[in-house]
Amino acid sequence: MRNLQQKLAIARGEQPAELLFKNARLVNVLSGEIHRTNVAVDDGRVVGFGDYRARRVVDLRGSYLAPSLIDGHFHVESSMLTAPEFARAVVPHGTGAVVIDPHEYANVLGLDGIRYVLESSKKLPLDFFIMLPSCVPATPLETAGARITADDLRLMIGDDRIAGVAELMNFPGVFLGAKSELDKIDAGKHKCVDGHAPGLRGKNLNAYVLAGVRSDHESVEVEEAREKLRLGMHILLREGSTERNLAHLLPLVNAHNVQNCSFATDDKLAGDLVNEGHIDHCVRKAIRLGLPPISALQIASINTARHYRLQNLGAIAPRFWADMIVVDDLKKFSVRQVYKKGVLVAENGEFLGWIPAKIGSPRGTMNLRYQPGDFAIRAVGGKKIKVIVIVPQQIVTRTAIVAPKVEDGEIVADTKRDILKLVVVERHRATGNVGVGFVRGFKLNRGAIGSTVAHDAHNVVVAGTNDADIRFAIQQLERMQGGQVAVANGKVKAALPLPIAGLVSDRPLPEVVRGIADLNLAAHALGCELAAPFMTLSFLSLSPIPALKLTDQGLIDAVKMQRTTLFATA
Amino acid sequence: MRNLQQKLAIARGEQPAELLFKNARLVNVLSGEIHRTNVAVDDGRVVGFGDYRARRVVDLRGSYLAPSLIDGHFHVESSMLTAPEFARAVVPHGTGAVVIDPHEYANVLGLDGIRYVLESSKKLPLDFFIMLPSCVPATPLETAGARITADDLRLMIGDDRIAGVAELMNFPGVFLGAKSELDKIDAGKHKCVDGHAPGLRGKNLNAYVLAGVRSDHESVEVEEAREKLRLGMHILLREGSTERNLAHLLPLVNAHNVQNCSFATDDKLAGDLVNEGHIDHCVRKAIRLGLPPISALQIASINTARHYRLQNLGAIAPRFWADMIVVDDLKKFSVRQVYKKGVLVAENGEFLGWIPAKIGSPRGTMNLRYQPGDFAIRAVGGKKIKVIVIVPQQIVTRTAIVAPKVEDGEIVADTKRDILKLVVVERHRATGNVGVGFVRGFKLNRGAIGSTVAHDAHNVVVAGTNDADIRFAIQQLERMQGGQVAVANGKVKAALPLPIAGLVSDRPLPEVVRGIADLNLAAHALGCELAAPFMTLSFLSLSPIPALKLTDQGLIDAVKMQRTTLFATA
């Protein structure tokens, strides 16, 4: 700490402080109470409570002063924003730090992706701490841009901003004792090791915890979360764009166990962050649902800082960074001012912070190889085909067996029955892998929609009513070096370039928010009725999630976890 | 973790566990509740909750199963027991781990003393974690056996069993920014840094915390403790042999802040440990005073483990060590059984654990040089003298100014007015330093009592009615290589050898308990009415504590922190 001796003199009251927050109602997450005091700040840190002289005084007139909020688990790529633009979105909502898992960057760019995140998230008015992705690729049934092993994790785990090893999504691998997975846990043993175990309970959950996993953010029901909490897992109460578990899980939380809970968003779109909010939304919702405000703010700050060992963050007390928010009403919980290291970085929803010069983007990632004929599927006798059926608002799918529509011996989309062609083209290493299948649920009546965001391998995925538009969509995605696009009759209806890893925009926040909205409008104009058609599209390749998925390796039976044929055997 | 894959198979229920605790009421300090379950244990660790097969079953029939208890701050030398014999005393009371500050060993033996503690506390059914003493010597006004600097701390801080830097007792040095003290804090910055700041409040306390001190165990009043808690200090609720702050501080504790509190004993005599108990006594008392049992047990286990980062200790959950206690009634809180890594190590107060082979004692530490005439004080005209006045049950003293009793031109003890001669002889490096003064409060009517336990430098201290018995007492202490002794008319009335650093007995627990009792009886037979005469004696040299003290360097004005004369100036 530079000038510690000088700061001690300020704390002793012998010299004036830089800044004094007078007449605060301090939300003290350490003593678990709200009390009136003045808070002196110097050189970015809190130096003391009490009656201090200061060169500048902010009279809070009884408003609440609380520690800045912390997100315990977030994939920054889900916002499609760079780290600086993400900061621009969430800092006005009072966020001071995020623990992120750059799982998507890592699937596309490997260690280079993690390094890009580390570099691009420096020197912002928002602290980024990084959990190292542990499941790249997600499964052998999709072709990602990289593979990350325990040795790779060991290379990076020592960095000060690396908080540990991210969610061990291959939970059967862990509880069955697969050496590759236990090695990854071992790599993180001196830091945090996050879990991801939806629905896992009983003995297999015991084994998962015994292996060394110490958190979970996937509980949907309170009894599942209670079992995990009893086993010592830190429980992240998730409230993202689509997965919203907070209200369900809140009955679990009380003053005796609150220290083992954090808030997390996991995945949240740029527009939702701007409009609904970030962790402030979680605090608002929790208080509205009856949680004592002091508990809600502990969950939003100190608990997360302690679990992930974020030094001098998560509370307002001497030596802590002066990361603080001003709130006028704890019930409404609307963040009026946000301070980062004692500097006002947002006020009344407006970002006032600094954004450092842009760093270079990582290498281009669009390496496609395909032939015009690759998307054609010849009909086989009278055989029926398997169709992926979208379940609205969920990432699971169902399977339908239907008689295909056949033209000139080829199976084609049938808009009357809402059956579109779905194509996945490998984009990382030009393998020439192309998967073709059919999907129900988009209700497009013309054109195609495509995306290079396609969990978890992030190949090109396109759903369309005809091969020409599918091809056109792919060409547009190539031209943009990745992105999302809606096309019809050889025309672009809307497009959002995502040139950074094919996942993230290089444009400012408002443009990205508008771009996403335009895409949705365009898809709706093509007949789609889904709330978030591109998000739905992006999950159709996620091979570990039931029931039927399509990757670059073909149709995947995601229950049996193996490739399957398009044609139904029955 | 050896055989992790095999243990996972046991957790999955595919193989029987070593041990199953059936029908437990589990005191779950993680989920903050008490719930019924079975707990499976294998290879020293908890592997899971649930319905497991096991090679051995312990049916608890609804008794409580709680994590073993942890002492957050203790000076093991205060028990006068070696680490193994201390384990024998406290394991039957349910203690599973202690965080110790070997401050006395370090004052006598320096780094060798710390190394001796590390070595002698291994492989016991009680885990010792060590905070590195930060204040050796306590002040320049007494001659200790060693000096420990920040560089010394850096030498040892990396050891797995070193939890951090112990109490920064030189709190003015810290808040005033003395480089030596800030360097010591810096040495501990990646581990814990304990405080010791009796009565410190306001701006100087802010500075003390800002410097990096993160705990305190010296609060006497609840408002002092509240201020410290608000500043982010971990509060150790102390309940030792003499300092008993638990009842006073308990009103501070509630479910919203309990995570920031621990129990500690600081100093506790062997007999008190055996008869009254250890941390179990704190739990009993806290529950009796109205604290919810779950909170009391969190304070006694997980809170301390987390604060001091004791891996896999402080709770019952998979991967945690199977350090557990069985209690039949939470109100009475009498520990029936104690398990260490799944092995029964105490039952119904009886120690059943293992004690490894004795390790070699450290070098002898009695290096005295003095002349027969050193203890004589010639009277100066009609000048009055300053007398140290004992305040019963406290370590502070007062000062009296009295006319001395003079015989043959020399000032002598005056038993009629309860004025004894007090002698301190430096014993570490044969400097020949001898301090002579007078003390009121012992009420000896003949003989002398002496001790080589004499905080913090642990020189020889003797209070006596005549020089012959004082000399005889010193000779006996030399002969025993340190200890405590009561003599009269050239005869030993009681003696407890403390050959390990002059602080600790090499004998088994019962002999030490009896030895201490015999010493007290002997002192009482000589006329003393104090409850713990040798403890009182041992604090008369502690130069940082007001008001008047005697060290090997002479009479100390412990308010002004400087040497003073025996003769009153007035």
Side-chain angles (χ1 to χ4, degrees):
Chain A
M1 199 187 305
R2 70 187 155 98
N3 299 326
L4 176 54
Q5 277 163 330
Q6 195 193 324
K7 272 202 281 290
L8 293 179
I10 294 165
R12 294 195 302 272
E14 295 163 11
Q15 295 176 25
E18 218 170 277
L19 185 57
L20 183 71
F21 292 87
K22 256 178 69 175
N23 301 316
R25 267 193 252 233
L26 183 67
V27 180
N28 194 321
V29 294
L30 299 162
S31 61
E33 58 180 338
I34 294 166
H35 59 92
R36 284 178 176 273
T37 191
N38 304 333
V39 176
V41 168
D42 200 274
D43 192 25
R45 295 191 195 245
V46 175
V47 297
F49 299 161
D51 182 27
Y52 281 94
R53 287 174 302 135
R55 289 193 292 282
R56 199 156 60 83
V57 173
V58 175
D59 190 339
L60 294 179
R61 299 163 193 272
S63 286
Y64 296 92
L65 188 66
S68 291
L69 312 178
I70 306 178
D71 189 338
H73 176 69
F74 183 61
H75 302 285
V76 69
E77 307 91 326
S78 69
S79 70
M80 294 188 200
L81 298 166
T82 57
E85 295 304 316
F86 172 71
R88 201 189 291 276
V90 302
V91 165
H93 288 285
T95 308
V98 286
V99 179
I100 63 164
D101 169 11
H103 176 71
E104 324 305 345
Y105 276 121
N107 261 283
V108 175
L109 288 163
L111 296 188
D112 281 346
I114 303 171
R115 217 166 294 142
Y116 169 72
V117 171
L118 274 168
E119 288 303 313
S120 61
S121 62
K122 273 182 182 165
K123 298 179 185 167
L124 291 168
L126 174 68
D127 288 316
F128 285 75
F129 296 92
I130 290 159
M131 300 292 283
L132 295 175
S134 66
C135 296
V136 177
T139 75
L141 297 172
E142 47 189 297
T143 306
R147 168 176 305 278
I148 289 184
T149 66
D151 285 338
D152 294 321
L153 302 183
R154 288 198 182 92
L155 275 181
M156 303 191 84
I157 194 85
D159 188 287
D160 276 352
R161 285 168 62 216
I162 303 287
V165 172
E167 46 183 335
L168 270 295
M169 286 187 279
N170 180 5
F171 57 87
V174 173
F175 69 66
L176 291 171
K179 190 170 177 311
S180 60
E181 305 312 299
L182 299 186
D183 279 353
K184 288 171 189 169
I185 293 173
D186 186 72
K189 69 183 167 189
H190 295 302
K191 294 198 169 182
C192 289
V193 176
D194 272 352
H196 163 117
L200 188 63
R201 303 190 62 174
K203 288 175 179 158
N204 287 342
L205 177 61
N206 286 337
Y208 188 63
V209 174
L210 176 63
V213 178
R214 289 281 170 95
S215 78
D216 189 75
H217 57 265
E218 291 289 340
S219 292
V220 172
E221 297 300 333
V222 69
E223 285 312 313
E224 177 189 350
R226 190 187 311 280
E227 187 175 345
K228 289 172 175 171
L229 184 63
R230 285 176 170 180
L231 294 173
M233 295 183 114
H234 193 82
I235 301 298
L236 296 136
L237 305 164
R238 177 172 57 182
E239 187 80 356
S241 270
T242 48
E243 287 113 347
R244 293 174 174 267
N245 311 121
L246 178 55
H248 260 91
L249 300 185
L250 208 60
L252 173 68
V253 182
N254 62 48
H256 296 294
N257 61 30
V258 66
Q259 68 275 13
N260 299 317
C261 298
S262 289
F263 290 126
T265 49
D266 206 354
D267 292 297
K268 196 155 186 176
L269 291 164
D272 293 341
L273 290 169
V274 169
N275 299 321
E276 182 182 66
H278 188 211
I279 300 302
D280 60 327
H281 164 72
C282 299
V283 173
R284 255 189 312 273
K285 188 161 178 175
I287 292 173
R288 201 179 60 232
L289 291 168
L291 196 69
I294 188 68
S295 296
L297 280 156
Q298 287 174 324
I299 296 175
S301 61
I302 188 68
N303 298 356
T304 315
R306 284 189 173 167
H307 183 74
Y308 291 102
R309 303 187 201 164
L310 316 181
Q311 290 288 314
N312 298 310
L313 290 175
I316 298 174
R319 199 176 175 96
F320 281 74
W321 292 113
D323 287 10
M324 313 192 291
I325 60 177
V326 176
V327 177
D328 295 320
D329 177 335
L330 282 186
K331 286 266 159 90
K332 286 184 192 158
F333 204 79
S334 173
V335 176
R336 175 156 65 82
Q337 288 186 324
V338 183
Y339 290 85
K340 184 70 183 180
K341 298 188 176 176
V343 177
L344 183 68
V345 290
E347 189 164 19
N348 297 322
E350 194 187 346
F351 180 79
L352 304 174
W354 55 90
I355 298 286
K358 247 186 212 177
I359 69 160
S361 291
R363 67 169 170 80
T365 59
M366 293 296 282
N367 299 306
L368 274 63
R369 183 158 65 86
Y370 63 95
Q371 305 297 328
D374 282 352
F375 310 152
I377 299 278
R378 292 208 67 79
V380 176
K383 278 204 170 175
K384 293 187 171 180
I385 59 170
K386 298 171 196 159
V387 170
I388 299 168
V389 179
I390 291 165
V391 181
Q393 312 280 5
Q394 294 199 41
I395 62 176
V396 298
T397 61
R398 290 185 294 109
T399 305
I401 308 290
V402 303
K405 177 176 178 187
V406 178
E407 284 181 358
D408 299 333
E410 288 186 0
I411 303 174
V412 297
D414 182 359
T415 52
K416 282 189 189 145
R417 288 187 295 158
D418 181 26
I419 294 170
L420 303 189
K421 186 177 272 187
L422 187 67
V423 172
V424 174
V425 182
E426 193 276 328
R427 73 167 169 105
H428 303 294
R429 44 189 82 178
T431 54
N433 287 356
V434 174
V436 182
F438 292 88
V439 61
R440 175 188 287 168
F442 281 115
K443 296 193 181 163
L444 294 190
N445 49 41
R446 62 205 173 94
I449 59 174
S451 174
T452 56
V453 179
H455 297 276
D456 276 344
H458 301 294
N459 288 308
V460 174
V461 60
V462 182
T465 56
N466 66 84
D467 284 9
D469 276 333
I470 288 173
R471 243 189 333 267
F472 183 68
I474 294 172
Q475 285 159 0
Q476 294 308 312
L477 294 173
E478 268 194 290
R479 193 185 54 75
M480 299 190 293
Q481 280 295 299
Q484 296 187 324
V485 69
V487 302
N489 306 320
K491 291 225 170 70
V492 173
K493 296 296 178 183
L496 176 65
L498 301 172
I500 302 175
L503 299 170
V504 164
S505 171
D506 59 352
R507 306 301 304 160
L509 171 66
E511 279 188 43
V512 180
V513 172
R514 201 162 47 235
I516 295 170
D518 287 350
L519 280 169
N520 288 337
L521 285 175
H524 293 153
L526 297 177
C528 183
E529 295 172 7
L530 294 171
F534 288 86
M535 188 172 278
T536 301
L537 183 65
S538 76
F539 283 112
L540 294 180
S541 284
L542 186 56
S543 58
I545 303 294
L548 188 65
K549 296 291 170 102
L550 183 74
T551 77
D552 66 303
Q553 298 179 23
L555 213 53
I556 304 296
D557 178 335
V559 176
K560 293 184 181 161
M561 286 307 288
Q562 61 189 33
R563 291 170 66 169
T564 185
T565 55
L566 177 66
F567 295 98
T569 45
Chain B
M1 198 189 304
R2 71 188 154 99
N3 298 326
L4 176 55
Q5 277 163 330
Q6 195 194 324
K7 272 202 281 291
L8 293 178
I10 293 165
R12 293 194 303 270
E14 295 164 11
Q15 294 175 27
E18 218 170 276
L19 183 57
L20 183 71
F21 291 87
K22 256 179 69 175
N23 301 316
R25 267 194 252 233
L26 183 67
V27 179
N28 194 321
V29 294
L30 299 162
S31 61
E33 58 179 338
I34 294 167
H35 59 90
R36 284 178 176 272
T37 191
N38 304 332
V39 177
V41 169
D42 199 275
D43 193 25
R45 294 191 194 245
V46 174
V47 297
F49 299 162
D51 182 26
Y52 280 94
R53 285 174 303 135
R55 288 194 293 283
R56 200 155 59 83
V57 172
V58 175
D59 190 340
L60 293 179
R61 299 164 194 273
S63 287
Y64 297 92
L65 189 66
S68 292
L69 312 178
I70 305 177
D71 189 338
H73 177 68
F74 183 62
H75 302 287
V76 69
E77 307 92 325
S78 68
S79 70
M80 296 189 200
L81 298 166
T82 58
E85 295 304 316
F86 172 71
R88 201 190 291 276
V90 302
V91 165
H93 289 285
T95 308
V98 286
V99 179
I100 64 164
D101 168 11
H103 177 70
E104 324 306 343
Y105 276 121
N107 261 284
V108 175
L109 288 163
L111 295 188
D112 281 345
I114 302 172
R115 217 166 294 141
Y116 168 72
V117 171
L118 274 167
E119 288 303 314
S120 62
S121 63
K122 272 184 182 165
K123 297 180 187 167
L124 291 167
L126 174 68
D127 288 316
F128 285 75
F129 297 92
I130 290 160
M131 301 293 283
L132 295 176
S134 67
C135 296
V136 177
T139 76
L141 298 172
E142 47 189 297
T143 306
R147 168 176 304 277
I148 290 184
T149 67
D151 285 338
D152 293 322
L153 302 184
R154 288 199 181 90
L155 275 181
M156 303 191 85
I157 194 84
D159 187 288
D160 276 351
R161 286 168 62 216
I162 303 287
V165 172
E167 46 182 336
L168 270 296
M169 287 187 280
N170 181 5
F171 56 88
V174 173
F175 70 66
L176 292 172
K179 189 170 179 313
S180 60
E181 304 312 299
L182 299 186
D183 279 354
K184 289 171 188 168
I185 293 173
D186 186 71
K189 69 182 168 190
H190 295 301
K191 295 198 169 183
C192 289
V193 177
D194 272 352
H196 162 118
L200 187 63
R201 303 190 60 174
K203 287 176 178 156
N204 287 342
L205 178 61
N206 287 337
Y208 188 63
V209 174
L210 176 64
V213 178
R214 288 282 169 96
S215 77
D216 189 74
H217 58 264
E218 291 288 341
S219 292
V220 171
E221 296 300 334
V222 68
E223 285 311 314
E224 176 188 352
R226 190 188 312 281
E227 187 175 345
K228 289 172 175 171
L229 184 64
R230 285 176 171 179
L231 294 173
M233 296 184 113
H234 193 81
I235 301 298
L236 296 135
L237 306 164
R238 178 172 57 182
E239 188 79 357
S241 271
T242 49
E243 287 115 345
R244 292 174 175 268
N245 311 122
L246 178 56
H248 259 91
L249 300 185
L250 208 61
L252 173 69
V253 182
N254 62 48
H256 295 294
N257 62 30
V258 66
Q259 68 276 12
N260 299 316
C261 300
S262 289
F263 289 126
T265 49
D266 207 354
D267 292 297
K268 197 156 186 176
L269 292 164
D272 292 343
L273 291 169
V274 169
N275 298 321
E276 183 183 65
H278 188 210
I279 300 301
D280 60 327
H281 164 72
C282 300
V283 173
R284 255 189 311 274
K285 189 162 178 174
I287 292 174
R288 200 181 61 232
L289 291 168
L291 196 70
I294 188 69
S295 295
L297 280 155
Q298 287 174 325
I299 295 174
S301 60
I302 188 69
N303 297 356
T304 316
R306 283 188 174 167
H307 182 74
Y308 291 101
R309 304 188 202 162
L310 315 181
Q311 290 289 313
N312 297 309
L313 290 175
I316 298 174
R319 199 176 175 98
F320 280 74
W321 293 112
D323 286 11
M324 313 192 290
I325 60 176
V326 176
V327 177
D328 296 320
D329 177 334
L330 281 186
K331 287 266 158 91
K332 287 183 193 159
F333 204 78
S334 172
V335 176
R336 175 155 65 81
Q337 290 187 323
V338 183
Y339 290 84
K340 184 70 183 179
K341 297 189 177 175
V343 177
L344 184 69
V345 290
E347 190 164 18
N348 297 321
E350 194 186 348
F351 180 78
L352 305 173
W354 56 90
I355 298 286
K358 248 185 210 176
I359 69 160
S361 291
R363 66 169 171 80
T365 59
M366 293 296 282
N367 298 306
L368 273 65
R369 184 158 64 86
Y370 63 95
Q371 306 297 326
D374 283 352
F375 310 153
I377 300 277
R378 294 208 66 79
V380 176
K383 278 203 170 174
K384 292 187 171 181
I385 58 168
K386 298 172 195 155
V387 170
I388 300 169
V389 179
I390 291 165
V391 181
Q393 313 280 4
Q394 293 199 41
I395 63 177
V396 298
T397 61
R398 289 186 294 110
T399 305
I401 310 289
V402 302
K405 178 176 175 185
V406 178
E407 284 180 359
D408 300 332
E410 289 186 359
I411 303 175
V412 296
D414 181 0
T415 53
K416 282 188 190 145
R417 289 187 294 159
D418 182 25
I419 294 171
L420 303 190
K421 186 176 270 185
L422 187 67
V423 172
V424 175
V425 183
E426 192 277 326
R427 71 167 170 104
H428 302 294
R429 45 189 81 176
T431 54
N433 287 356
V434 174
V436 183
F438 293 87
V439 61
R440 175 188 287 167
F442 281 116
K443 298 194 182 163
L444 294 190
N445 48 41
R446 60 201 175 96
I449 59 173
S451 173
T452 56
V453 178
H455 299 277
D456 277 345
H458 300 294
N459 289 308
V460 174
V461 61
V462 182
T465 56
N466 65 84
D467 284 10
D469 276 333
I470 288 173
R471 240 186 336 265
F472 182 66
I474 295 173
Q475 286 160 0
Q476 294 307 312
L477 294 172
E478 268 193 290
R479 195 185 53 75
M480 298 190 294
Q481 280 295 299
Q484 296 186 324
V485 69
V487 302
N489 305 321
K491 290 224 171 69
V492 173
K493 297 297 180 183
L496 176 65
L498 301 171
I500 302 175
L503 299 170
V504 164
S505 170
D506 59 352
R507 306 302 302 159
L509 171 65
E511 278 187 42
V512 180
V513 172
R514 200 161 49 234
I516 295 170
D518 287 349
L519 280 168
N520 288 337
L521 286 175
H524 293 154
L526 297 176
C528 182
E529 293 171 6
L530 294 171
F534 288 86
M535 187 172 279
T536 301
L537 182 65
S538 75
F539 283 112
L540 293 181
S541 285
L542 187 56
S543 57
I545 303 293
L548 188 64
K549 296 290 170 102
L550 182 74
T551 77
D552 65 304
Q553 298 178 23
L555 213 54
I556 304 295
D557 179 333
V559 176
K560 293 186 181 160
M561 286 307 287
Q562 60 189 34
R563 290 170 67 169
T564 186
T565 56
L566 176 64
F567 295 98
T569 46

